[in-house]
Amino acid sequence: MDLQSVMGTAGQAAKKMFRGMTDEMQMCIQNCTLCYQICSLMITHCLEKGGAHSSPKHIQALQDCAGACAVSADFMIRGSDLHSRFCGVCAEACIACAVSCEALADDEMMKTCADVCRRCADSCQQMASHH
Amino acid sequence: MDLQSVMGTAGQAAKKMFRGMTDEMQMCIQNCTLCYQICSLMITHCLEKGGAHSSPKHIQALQDCAGACAVSADFMIRGSDLHSRFCGVCAEACIACAVSCEALADDEMMKTCADVCRRCADSCQQMASHH
Amino acid sequence: MDLQSVMGTAGQAAKKMFRGMTDEMQMCIQNCTLCYQICSLMITHCLEKGGAHSSPKHIQALQDCAGACAVSADFMIRGSDLHSRFCGVCAEACIACAVSCEALADDEMMKTCADVCRRCADSCQQMASHH
Amino acid sequence: MDLQSVMGTAGQAAKKMFRGMTDEMQMCIQNCTLCYQICSLMITHCLEKGGAHSSPKHIQALQDCAGACAVSADFMIRGSDLHSRFCGVCAEACIACAVSCEALADDEMMKTCADVCRRCADSCQQMASHH
């Protein structure tokens, strides 16, 4: 099975399992999951670049964002009432991380990471506004 | 933006960011991520069904699988040398969870969960066999 | 080495490593860590008891509290500026979990869990009030 | 309440809750928990030191160790049969991290971290040998 089919099959299974949720929440789970993955990957990437990219402040922004996204996704998936509270904090972490990435955006990966963070922040702010 | 476009955009960003990895590893990350999501969701679903579905043994199988998948995905995303060791344990957790779900497969969600676990186990076994 | 010495040696190492932090934060890290451990253990305990103890609502309260405590401890240990925001949400999760445990407090473990949650909530509220 | 009393009260609550476990497992949970905390803290410390301390290889060793310890503690606390398998992988991560810290041990914190990792590795190897 190739990557395309895996993604397709995964998408269908996710769609079936999450159908009890609003589209907005399903989107937010996917945005948080992707943002967690990208930020985790970027820590390794930025440490390899070195210099300002491996500054404690930038790496912490990536760690904060990855951690906040993982916990927000978890609370949404489990259907917890507290999810909107975590989404609110997550939106802050995502914006801080986007700002940090934009200041260092000297390659395609940094720019993509900033975009993913911005999109996730919007999605989380929407979820947070429901409470 | 609708769910379809979010999934599409997410898929493209993931593809761009993960291109340094083998297709096999990218597939395993997606399989582990989906399996973690589904098993976490199933804990809530099975507690609501009650009876054998909320037995300590079955819920533990779901918790084990969710936890093992999350950590395997994390070690692959970060590019750690230890990922294949975690994938090996994860394959065991996935099979045990599939067996537990199949024994209670009285609705569509239980069957989908078992399928997702089996697919993730195969993927993890392949990754584990490289070391 | 026995358990007593392990705890003693661990306490000394922790004290040495965390000395850059305020006492208040060190206490909150320990309270969150213990509360995460106890709530995770209680999920297994409550599923074994069955009945109201394994209701989706109660298990979710325990999962919420364990998850919130783990992430709060993590953000404090890493020295993130966002720790107080997570401590605020964590205090809510701890209180909800204490209330849920108190309503079912028919054994020593349930009572201890409620106490640990109340203590952790106080500690987290203090941390949250700094921002 | 001061830090000393918090640690004391926490120790008593943990003792009461974990009494169904062997002393060996209780020690391993405490060793893994401490090792996770110290390694997480050391990531921030090493990024601040810079140079070889913030090399991708060393930070990854700390991330691997923190992640492996957190998951091992989690599987022991939940009473999962898979705990010994995770403890086996965790012992490897702890040794690799100790080696990496010892090669850079130019301050008290690096030395303490290496010691904590070695002690955790021993504890995990013992747990892993039971299966």
Side-chain angles (χ1 to χ4, degrees), chain A residues 42 45-54 58 62 98-114, chain B residues 17 19:
Chain A
M42 287 304 284
H45 178 69
C46 288
L47 290 171
E48 277 161 8
K49 294 196 88 162
H53 288 81
S54 68
H58 179 59
L62 289 165
V99 170
S100 189
C101 286
E102 281 154 8
L104 299 163
D106 58 356
D107 68 21
E108 205 53 47
M109 287 178 77
M110 298 298 289
K111 279 172 209 155
T112 304
C113 185
Chain B
M17 299 300 274
R19 72 184 149 203

PDB file of all heavy atoms in Angstrom, chain A residues 42 45-54 58 62 98-114, chain B residues 17 19:
ATOM      1  N   MET A  42      10.243  20.250  13.710  1.00  0.00           N
ATOM      2  CA  MET A  42      11.010  21.489  13.574  1.00  0.00           C
ATOM      3  C   MET A  42      12.057  21.636  14.681  1.00  0.00           C
ATOM      4  O   MET A  42      13.074  22.308  14.485  1.00  0.00           O
ATOM      5  CB  MET A  42      10.070  22.699  13.589  1.00  0.00           C
ATOM      6  CG  MET A  42       9.258  22.851  12.316  1.00  0.00           C
ATOM      7  SD  MET A  42      10.271  22.943  10.824  1.00  0.00           S
ATOM      8  CE  MET A  42      10.888  24.633  10.956  1.00  0.00           C
ATOM      9  N   HIS A  45      14.947  19.946  13.267  1.00  0.00           N
ATOM     10  CA  HIS A  45      15.414  20.761  12.134  1.00  0.00           C
ATOM     11  C   HIS A  45      16.155  22.012  12.618  1.00  0.00           C
ATOM     12  O   HIS A  45      17.237  22.339  12.116  1.00  0.00           O
ATOM     13  CB  HIS A  45      14.203  21.147  11.274  1.00  0.00           C
ATOM     14  CG  HIS A  45      14.508  22.030  10.097  1.00  0.00           C
ATOM     15  ND1 HIS A  45      15.217  21.590   9.001  1.00  0.00           N
ATOM     16  CD2 HIS A  45      14.200  23.333   9.846  1.00  0.00           C
ATOM     17  CE1 HIS A  45      15.336  22.583   8.126  1.00  0.00           C
ATOM     18  NE2 HIS A  45      14.727  23.649   8.616  1.00  0.00           N
ATOM     19  N   CYS A  46      15.592  22.707  13.583  1.00  0.00           N
ATOM     20  CA  CYS A  46      16.190  23.964  14.065  1.00  0.00           C
ATOM     21  C   CYS A  46      17.473  23.724  14.847  1.00  0.00           C
ATOM     22  O   CYS A  46      18.417  24.530  14.773  1.00  0.00           O
ATOM     23  CB  CYS A  46      15.180  24.750  14.904  1.00  0.00           C
ATOM     24  SG  CYS A  46      13.865  25.477  13.885  1.00  0.00           S
ATOM     25  N   LEU A  47      17.552  22.632  15.586  1.00  0.00           N
ATOM     26  CA  LEU A  47      18.804  22.309  16.296  1.00  0.00           C
ATOM     27  C   LEU A  47      19.900  22.026  15.288  1.00  0.00           C
ATOM     28  O   LEU A  47      21.070  22.374  15.509  1.00  0.00           O
ATOM     29  CB  LEU A  47      18.602  21.107  17.226  1.00  0.00           C
ATOM     30  CG  LEU A  47      17.716  21.360  18.451  1.00  0.00           C
ATOM     31  CD1 LEU A  47      17.414  20.038  19.165  1.00  0.00           C
ATOM     32  CD2 LEU A  47      18.385  22.335  19.423  1.00  0.00           C
ATOM     33  N   GLU A  48      19.542  21.410  14.166  1.00  0.00           N
ATOM     34  CA  GLU A  48      20.537  21.132  13.119  1.00  0.00           C
ATOM     35  C   GLU A  48      21.017  22.415  12.443  1.00  0.00           C
ATOM     36  O   GLU A  48      22.188  22.518  12.071  1.00  0.00           O
ATOM     37  CB  GLU A  48      19.971  20.145  12.088  1.00  0.00           C
ATOM     38  CG  GLU A  48      20.119  18.695  12.555  1.00  0.00           C
ATOM     39  CD  GLU A  48      19.195  17.730  11.829  1.00  0.00           C
ATOM     40  OE1 GLU A  48      18.532  18.150  10.855  1.00  0.00           O
ATOM     41  OE2 GLU A  48      19.110  16.557  12.252  1.00  0.00           O
ATOM     42  N   LYS A  49      20.117  23.382  12.273  1.00  0.00           N
ATOM     43  CA  LYS A  49      20.509  24.660  11.685  1.00  0.00           C
ATOM     44  C   LYS A  49      21.444  25.441  12.619  1.00  0.00           C
ATOM     45  O   LYS A  49      22.359  26.124  12.156  1.00  0.00           O
ATOM     46  CB  LYS A  49      19.276  25.515  11.346  1.00  0.00           C
ATOM     47  CG  LYS A  49      18.399  24.929  10.249  1.00  0.00           C
ATOM     48  CD  LYS A  49      17.431  25.949   9.669  1.00  0.00           C
ATOM     49  CE  LYS A  49      18.065  26.707   8.519  1.00  0.00           C
ATOM     50  NZ  LYS A  49      17.106  27.396   7.641  1.00  0.00           N
ATOM     51  N   GLY A  50      21.184  25.338  13.928  1.00  0.00           N
ATOM     52  CA  GLY A  50      22.022  26.045  14.909  1.00  0.00           C
ATOM     53  C   GLY A  50      21.792  27.546  14.900  1.00  0.00           C
ATOM     54  O   GLY A  50      20.839  28.038  14.303  1.00  0.00           O
ATOM     55  N   GLY A  51      22.676  28.302  15.558  1.00  0.00           N
ATOM     56  CA  GLY A  51      22.548  29.761  15.646  1.00  0.00           C
ATOM     57  C   GLY A  51      21.257  30.166  16.329  1.00  0.00           C
ATOM     58  O   GLY A  51      20.829  29.507  17.285  1.00  0.00           O
ATOM     59  N   ALA A  52      20.612  31.237  15.802  1.00  0.00           N
ATOM     60  CA  ALA A  52      19.368  31.731  16.404  1.00  0.00           C
ATOM     61  C   ALA A  52      18.269  30.663  16.400  1.00  0.00           C
ATOM     62  O   ALA A  52      17.384  30.665  17.247  1.00  0.00           O
ATOM     63  CB  ALA A  52      18.886  32.963  15.644  1.00  0.00           C
ATOM     64  N   HIS A  53      18.356  29.755  15.402  1.00  0.00           N
ATOM     65  CA  HIS A  53      17.341  28.694  15.317  1.00  0.00           C
ATOM     66  C   HIS A  53      17.371  27.764  16.526  1.00  0.00           C
ATOM     67  O   HIS A  53      16.367  27.152  16.859  1.00  0.00           O
ATOM     68  CB  HIS A  53      17.527  27.871  14.031  1.00  0.00           C
ATOM     69  CG  HIS A  53      17.141  28.604  12.794  1.00  0.00           C
ATOM     70  ND1 HIS A  53      17.975  29.507  12.181  1.00  0.00           N
ATOM     71  CD2 HIS A  53      15.988  28.596  12.067  1.00  0.00           C
ATOM     72  CE1 HIS A  53      17.365  30.012  11.116  1.00  0.00           C
ATOM     73  NE2 HIS A  53      16.165  29.488  11.028  1.00  0.00           N
ATOM     74  N   SER A  54      18.537  27.614  17.160  1.00  0.00           N
ATOM     75  CA  SER A  54      18.599  26.718  18.327  1.00  0.00           C
ATOM     76  C   SER A  54      18.666  27.504  19.639  1.00  0.00           C
ATOM     77  O   SER A  54      19.106  26.974  20.662  1.00  0.00           O
ATOM     78  CB  SER A  54      19.771  25.747  18.200  1.00  0.00           C
ATOM     79  OG  SER A  54      20.996  26.446  18.292  1.00  0.00           O
ATOM     80  N   HIS A  58      13.458  30.134  21.018  1.00  0.00           N
ATOM     81  CA  HIS A  58      12.768  29.585  19.850  1.00  0.00           C
ATOM     82  C   HIS A  58      12.386  28.112  20.062  1.00  0.00           C
ATOM     83  O   HIS A  58      11.266  27.702  19.732  1.00  0.00           O
ATOM     84  CB  HIS A  58      13.619  29.756  18.594  1.00  0.00           C
ATOM     85  CG  HIS A  58      12.976  29.193  17.356  1.00  0.00           C
ATOM     86  ND1 HIS A  58      11.749  29.641  16.898  1.00  0.00           N
ATOM     87  CD2 HIS A  58      13.349  28.192  16.514  1.00  0.00           C
ATOM     88  CE1 HIS A  58      11.414  28.949  15.812  1.00  0.00           C
ATOM     89  NE2 HIS A  58      12.364  28.070  15.565  1.00  0.00           N
ATOM     90  N   LEU A  62       8.598  26.251  20.146  1.00  0.00           N
ATOM     91  CA  LEU A  62       8.209  25.034  19.426  1.00  0.00           C
ATOM     92  C   LEU A  62       7.713  23.949  20.393  1.00  0.00           C
ATOM     93  O   LEU A  62       6.716  23.272  20.124  1.00  0.00           O
ATOM     94  CB  LEU A  62       9.387  24.506  18.593  1.00  0.00           C
ATOM     95  CG  LEU A  62       9.782  25.336  17.362  1.00  0.00           C
ATOM     96  CD1 LEU A  62      11.166  24.930  16.857  1.00  0.00           C
ATOM     97  CD2 LEU A  62       8.751  25.192  16.232  1.00  0.00           C
ATOM     98  N   ALA A  98       4.268  30.883  15.819  1.00  0.00           N
ATOM     99  CA  ALA A  98       4.242  31.445  14.459  1.00  0.00           C
ATOM    100  C   ALA A  98       5.129  32.692  14.393  1.00  0.00           C
ATOM    101  O   ALA A  98       5.938  32.843  13.469  1.00  0.00           O
ATOM    102  CB  ALA A  98       2.808  31.790  14.057  1.00  0.00           C
ATOM    103  N   VAL A  99       4.999  33.573  15.374  1.00  0.00           N
ATOM    104  CA  VAL A  99       5.813  34.795  15.427  1.00  0.00           C
ATOM    105  C   VAL A  99       7.298  34.447  15.471  1.00  0.00           C
ATOM    106  O   VAL A  99       8.120  35.035  14.750  1.00  0.00           O
ATOM    107  CB  VAL A  99       5.409  35.667  16.649  1.00  0.00           C
ATOM    108  CG1 VAL A  99       6.397  36.804  16.874  1.00  0.00           C
ATOM    109  CG2 VAL A  99       3.994  36.207  16.480  1.00  0.00           C
ATOM    110  N   SER A 100       7.648  33.470  16.307  1.00  0.00           N
ATOM    111  CA  SER A 100       9.051  33.057  16.447  1.00  0.00           C
ATOM    112  C   SER A 100       9.586  32.458  15.131  1.00  0.00           C
ATOM    113  O   SER A 100      10.726  32.722  14.735  1.00  0.00           O
ATOM    114  CB  SER A 100       9.171  32.059  17.605  1.00  0.00           C
ATOM    115  OG  SER A 100      10.513  31.787  17.900  1.00  0.00           O
ATOM    116  N   CYS A 101       8.753  31.668  14.461  1.00  0.00           N
ATOM    117  CA  CYS A 101       9.166  31.061  13.183  1.00  0.00           C
ATOM    118  C   CYS A 101       9.286  32.115  12.086  1.00  0.00           C
ATOM    119  O   CYS A 101      10.201  32.056  11.260  1.00  0.00           O
ATOM    120  CB  CYS A 101       8.170  29.991  12.744  1.00  0.00           C
ATOM    121  SG  CYS A 101       8.296  28.481  13.709  1.00  0.00           S
ATOM    122  N   GLU A 102       8.349  33.068  12.068  1.00  0.00           N
ATOM    123  CA  GLU A 102       8.372  34.107  11.030  1.00  0.00           C
ATOM    124  C   GLU A 102       9.634  34.968  11.132  1.00  0.00           C
ATOM    125  O   GLU A 102      10.201  35.381  10.121  1.00  0.00           O
ATOM    126  CB  GLU A 102       7.096  34.971  11.121  1.00  0.00           C
ATOM    127  CG  GLU A 102       5.899  34.259  10.490  1.00  0.00           C
ATOM    128  CD  GLU A 102       4.555  34.700  11.059  1.00  0.00           C
ATOM    129  OE1 GLU A 102       4.519  35.668  11.844  1.00  0.00           O
ATOM    130  OE2 GLU A 102       3.548  34.058  10.718  1.00  0.00           O
ATOM    131  N   ALA A 103      10.099  35.202  12.344  1.00  0.00           N
ATOM    132  CA  ALA A 103      11.310  36.008  12.552  1.00  0.00           C
ATOM    133  C   ALA A 103      12.567  35.300  12.041  1.00  0.00           C
ATOM    134  O   ALA A 103      13.595  35.934  11.821  1.00  0.00           O
ATOM    135  CB  ALA A 103      11.463  36.346  14.032  1.00  0.00           C
ATOM    136  N   LEU A 104      12.473  33.986  11.865  1.00  0.00           N
ATOM    137  CA  LEU A 104      13.633  33.198  11.427  1.00  0.00           C
ATOM    138  C   LEU A 104      13.351  32.487  10.095  1.00  0.00           C
ATOM    139  O   LEU A 104      14.059  31.551   9.722  1.00  0.00           O
ATOM    140  CB  LEU A 104      13.967  32.135  12.474  1.00  0.00           C
ATOM    141  CG  LEU A 104      14.346  32.604  13.878  1.00  0.00           C
ATOM    142  CD1 LEU A 104      14.239  31.443  14.857  1.00  0.00           C
ATOM    143  CD2 LEU A 104      15.787  33.142  13.875  1.00  0.00           C
ATOM    144  N   ALA A 105      12.325  32.949   9.370  1.00  0.00           N
ATOM    145  CA  ALA A 105      11.833  32.187   8.213  1.00  0.00           C
ATOM    146  C   ALA A 105      12.759  32.283   7.006  1.00  0.00           C
ATOM    147  O   ALA A 105      12.451  32.957   6.026  1.00  0.00           O
ATOM    148  CB  ALA A 105      10.424  32.632   7.855  1.00  0.00           C
ATOM    149  N   ASP A 106      13.901  31.584   7.081  1.00  0.00           N
ATOM    150  CA  ASP A 106      14.869  31.616   5.989  1.00  0.00           C
ATOM    151  C   ASP A 106      14.840  30.363   5.120  1.00  0.00           C
ATOM    152  O   ASP A 106      15.691  30.186   4.260  1.00  0.00           O
ATOM    153  CB  ASP A 106      16.274  31.831   6.548  1.00  0.00           C
ATOM    154  CG  ASP A 106      16.654  30.751   7.539  1.00  0.00           C
ATOM    155  OD1 ASP A 106      15.792  29.889   7.846  1.00  0.00           O
ATOM    156  OD2 ASP A 106      17.802  30.748   8.009  1.00  0.00           O
ATOM    157  N   ASP A 107      13.891  29.487   5.362  1.00  0.00           N
ATOM    158  CA  ASP A 107      13.735  28.337   4.456  1.00  0.00           C
ATOM    159  C   ASP A 107      12.256  27.947   4.390  1.00  0.00           C
ATOM    160  O   ASP A 107      11.430  28.455   5.154  1.00  0.00           O
ATOM    161  CB  ASP A 107      14.645  27.153   4.849  1.00  0.00           C
ATOM    162  CG  ASP A 107      14.264  26.478   6.159  1.00  0.00           C
ATOM    163  OD1 ASP A 107      13.107  26.609   6.606  1.00  0.00           O
ATOM    164  OD2 ASP A 107      15.140  25.815   6.737  1.00  0.00           O
ATOM    165  N   GLU A 108      11.969  27.044   3.451  1.00  0.00           N
ATOM    166  CA  GLU A 108      10.580  26.633   3.193  1.00  0.00           C
ATOM    167  C   GLU A 108       9.921  26.002   4.421  1.00  0.00           C
ATOM    168  O   GLU A 108       8.739  26.229   4.693  1.00  0.00           O
ATOM    169  CB  GLU A 108      10.601  25.612   2.028  1.00  0.00           C
ATOM    170  CG  GLU A 108       9.331  25.519   1.235  1.00  0.00           C
ATOM    171  CD  GLU A 108       8.860  26.878   0.734  1.00  0.00           C
ATOM    172  OE1 GLU A 108       9.694  27.649   0.185  1.00  0.00           O
ATOM    173  OE2 GLU A 108       7.671  27.164   0.907  1.00  0.00           O
ATOM    174  N   MET A 109      10.711  25.230   5.196  1.00  0.00           N
ATOM    175  CA  MET A 109      10.142  24.536   6.350  1.00  0.00           C
ATOM    176  C   MET A 109       9.682  25.517   7.430  1.00  0.00           C
ATOM    177  O   MET A 109       8.619  25.329   8.030  1.00  0.00           O
ATOM    178  CB  MET A 109      11.134  23.521   6.914  1.00  0.00           C
ATOM    179  CG  MET A 109      11.289  22.298   6.017  1.00  0.00           C
ATOM    180  SD  MET A 109      12.512  21.110   6.628  1.00  0.00           S
ATOM    181  CE  MET A 109      11.603  20.283   7.948  1.00  0.00           C
ATOM    182  N   MET A 110      10.499  26.549   7.671  1.00  0.00           N
ATOM    183  CA  MET A 110      10.129  27.564   8.672  1.00  0.00           C
ATOM    184  C   MET A 110       8.817  28.256   8.277  1.00  0.00           C
ATOM    185  O   MET A 110       7.954  28.500   9.119  1.00  0.00           O
ATOM    186  CB  MET A 110      11.231  28.623   8.808  1.00  0.00           C
ATOM    187  CG  MET A 110      12.586  28.116   9.275  1.00  0.00           C
ATOM    188  SD  MET A 110      12.571  27.367  10.925  1.00  0.00           S
ATOM    189  CE  MET A 110      12.327  28.816  11.961  1.00  0.00           C
ATOM    190  N   LYS A 111       8.708  28.565   6.959  1.00  0.00           N
ATOM    191  CA  LYS A 111       7.492  29.253   6.487  1.00  0.00           C
ATOM    192  C   LYS A 111       6.260  28.351   6.617  1.00  0.00           C
ATOM    193  O   LYS A 111       5.192  28.800   7.034  1.00  0.00           O
ATOM    194  CB  LYS A 111       7.675  29.693   5.023  1.00  0.00           C
ATOM    195  CG  LYS A 111       8.463  30.996   4.896  1.00  0.00           C
ATOM    196  CD  LYS A 111       8.807  31.309   3.433  1.00  0.00           C
ATOM    197  CE  LYS A 111      10.108  32.110   3.353  1.00  0.00           C
ATOM    198  NZ  LYS A 111      10.797  31.960   2.063  1.00  0.00           N
ATOM    199  N   THR A 112       6.427  27.080   6.231  1.00  0.00           N
ATOM    200  CA  THR A 112       5.304  26.139   6.342  1.00  0.00           C
ATOM    201  C   THR A 112       4.885  25.985   7.802  1.00  0.00           C
ATOM    202  O   THR A 112       3.690  25.951   8.120  1.00  0.00           O
ATOM    203  CB  THR A 112       5.694  24.759   5.766  1.00  0.00           C
ATOM    204  OG1 THR A 112       6.118  24.936   4.420  1.00  0.00           O
ATOM    205  CG2 THR A 112       4.534  23.776   5.811  1.00  0.00           C
ATOM    206  N   CYS A 113       5.875  25.900   8.704  1.00  0.00           N
ATOM    207  CA  CYS A 113       5.562  25.749  10.124  1.00  0.00           C
ATOM    208  C   CYS A 113       4.755  26.957  10.619  1.00  0.00           C
ATOM    209  O   CYS A 113       3.740  26.790  11.312  1.00  0.00           O
ATOM    210  CB  CYS A 113       6.851  25.586  10.933  1.00  0.00           C
ATOM    211  SG  CYS A 113       6.543  25.248  12.679  1.00  0.00           S
ATOM    212  N   ALA A 114       5.197  28.164  10.246  1.00  0.00           N
ATOM    213  CA  ALA A 114       4.468  29.375  10.655  1.00  0.00           C
ATOM    214  C   ALA A 114       3.020  29.345  10.145  1.00  0.00           C
ATOM    215  O   ALA A 114       2.085  29.660  10.895  1.00  0.00           O
ATOM    216  CB  ALA A 114       5.194  30.617  10.146  1.00  0.00           C
TER     217      ALA A 114
ATOM    218  N   MET B  17       6.842  18.574   4.692  1.00  0.00           N
ATOM    219  CA  MET B  17       7.704  18.563   5.865  1.00  0.00           C
ATOM    220  C   MET B  17       8.399  17.219   6.084  1.00  0.00           C
ATOM    221  O   MET B  17       9.501  17.155   6.589  1.00  0.00           O
ATOM    222  CB  MET B  17       6.883  18.902   7.112  1.00  0.00           C
ATOM    223  CG  MET B  17       6.248  20.269   7.076  1.00  0.00           C
ATOM    224  SD  MET B  17       7.449  21.618   6.916  1.00  0.00           S
ATOM    225  CE  MET B  17       7.861  21.883   8.643  1.00  0.00           C
ATOM    226  N   ARG B  19       9.290  15.017   3.809  1.00  0.00           N
ATOM    227  CA  ARG B  19       9.854  14.411   2.596  1.00  0.00           C
ATOM    228  C   ARG B  19      11.240  13.797   2.791  1.00  0.00           C
ATOM    229  O   ARG B  19      11.685  13.000   1.981  1.00  0.00           O
ATOM    230  CB  ARG B  19       9.831  15.393   1.428  1.00  0.00           C
ATOM    231  CG  ARG B  19      10.827  16.518   1.525  1.00  0.00           C
ATOM    232  CD  ARG B  19      10.690  17.516   0.390  1.00  0.00           C
ATOM    233  NE  ARG B  19      11.070  18.828   0.881  1.00  0.00           N
ATOM    234  CZ  ARG B  19      10.687  19.969   0.369  1.00  0.00           C
ATOM    235  NH1 ARG B  19       9.897  19.987  -0.668  1.00  0.00           N
ATOM    236  NH2 ARG B  19      11.084  21.100   0.891  1.00  0.00           N
TER     237      ARG B  19
END
